[in-house]
């Protein structure tokens, strides 16, 4: 049996690393080490470089887990990286080279994210987006209670336009050579379920869970299902 992997969790836009807390608690109860990286949400290439630094610092095999835009980042970070033993896409983008989050979210009908966003300029150039506080609960996490949704809205990390419109820079997607697992909600309003199914099938998912009635914030609302997908990947990584 090979060395036990560390689970590296990469949040997406409009979220933050503590959004993985319920999943981390369950991973710990299964004797797995987890690290929730603080995704910069500035650009796919730059964010992936940061995640690779996190992986290098761990110095052990990893299972790389991404939520939403975090899927863009883990796909780039895993490309040609032998430390990454498995990928888990949690309501996440799994792009081909050149594809962006913006392109993939519009590939199928059903996303209402555009109408929920507020934009403002940033000093580094271009715009940054956040989900309007009064629309956050319905748009992002309809299946958590209002008090938790308000906290999630207040702690959301905005994302740059550059990150959402930038394509995968790697010459080959990480999921082409690294086994992948997928889990997503049926009622995801950020990334339509049809798009998530398409990406899972294209990536040759080793196991796909679609959770009835679940929102985009599936790590918060359905942590058991997300943990189960990660455990499947970790079992594979350990051989």
């Amino acid at each position: 049996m090979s060395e036990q992997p560390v689970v590296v969790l990469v949040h997406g836009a409009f979220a933050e690393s503590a959004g993985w807390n319920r999943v981390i608690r369950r991973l710990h109860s299964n004797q797995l080490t987890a690290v929730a990286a603080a995704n910069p949400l500035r650009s796919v290439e730059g964010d992936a470089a940061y995640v690779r630094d996190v992986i290098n610092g761990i110095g052990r095999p990893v299972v790389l887990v991404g939520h939403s835009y975090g899927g863009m980042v883990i796909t780039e970070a895993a490309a040609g990286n032998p430390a990454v033993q498995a990928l888990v896409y949690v309501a996440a983008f799994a792009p081909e080279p050149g594809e962006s989050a913006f392109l993939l979210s519009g590939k199928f009908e059903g996303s209402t994210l555009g109408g929920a966003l507020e934009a403002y300029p940033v000093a580094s150039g271009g715009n940054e987006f956040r989900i309007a506080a009064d629309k956050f609960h319905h748009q992002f996490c309809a299946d958590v209670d209002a008090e938790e949704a308000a906290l999630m809205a207040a702690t959301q990390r905005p994302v740059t336009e550059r990150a959402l419109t930038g394509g995968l820079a790697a010459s080959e997607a990480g999921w082409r050579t690294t086994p992948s697992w997928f889990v997503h909600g049926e009622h995801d309003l950020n990334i339509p379920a049809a798009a998530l199914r398409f990406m899972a099938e294209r990536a040759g998912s080793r196991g796909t869970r679609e959770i009835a009635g679940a929102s985009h914030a599936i790590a918060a609302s359905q942590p058991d299902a997300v943990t189960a997908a990660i455990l499947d990947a970790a079992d594979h990584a350990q051989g």
Side-chain angles (χ1 to χ4, degrees):
M1 184 176 287
S2 58
E3 185 177 11
Q4 187 185 63
V6 173
V7 179
V8 176
L9 303 148
V10 180
H11 67 79
F14 323 117
E16 47 96 35
S17 53
W20 294 109
N21 281 357
R22 289 179 180 144
V23 172
I24 292 169
R25 195 174 296 128
R26 286 159 174 78
L27 293 173
H28 284 173
S29 67
N30 282 276
Q31 287 71 55
L32 279 171
T33 302
V35 173
N39 187 358
L41 305 177
R42 304 294 88 185
S43 71
V44 176
E45 279 191 273
D47 297 344
Y50 170 72
V51 170
R52 280 194 293 270
D53 288 343
V54 171
I55 294 168
N56 290 340
I58 290 168
R60 283 168 55 187
V62 303
V63 171
L64 198 49
V65 183
H67 174 242
S68 193
Y69 164 79
M72 299 287 304
V73 176
I74 69 168
T75 302
E76 179 90 25
N81 191 337
V84 181
Q85 302 290 299
L87 295 166
V88 183
Y89 290 89
V90 180
F93 296 110
E96 285 272 29
E99 290 181 339
S100 67
F102 181 78
L103 184 151
L104 286 167
S105 65
K107 194 174 181 70
F108 296 84
E109 291 185 1
S111 176
T112 56
L113 178 61
L117 294 177
E118 297 176 336
Y120 49 90
V122 288
S124 56
N127 288 320
E128 175 169 271
F129 298 110
R130 62 184 288 116
I131 297 177
D134 62 343
K135 296 177 179 176
F136 192 93
H137 191 184
H138 173 74
Q139 178 63 42
F140 196 81
C141 54
D143 53 353
V144 306
D145 66 41
E147 181 182 14
E148 182 171 7
L151 290 172
M152 291 170 71
T155 59
Q156 67 173 297
R157 298 267 308 281
V159 64
T160 65
E161 187 172 14
R162 179 184 175 195
L164 295 182
T165 58
L168 186 74
S171 59
E172 183 176 63
W175 48 259
R176 285 285 179 197
T177 52
T178 304
S180 59
W181 284 257
F182 285 72
V183 56
H184 67 265
E186 176 194 15
H187 289 167
D188 193 317
L189 298 182
N190 280 25
I191 310 172
L196 294 161
R197 292 182 203 118
F198 163 78
M199 289 183 282
E201 185 174 347
R202 181 174 69 174
S205 171
R206 300 289 185 96
T208 302
R209 290 170 169 83
E210 181 170 324
I211 311 306
S215 73
H216 187 61
I218 193 168
S221 66
Q222 298 286 340
D224 287 335
V226 173
T227 303
I230 296 170
L231 292 176
D232 285 350
D235 286 345
H236 169 87
Q238 278 192 270

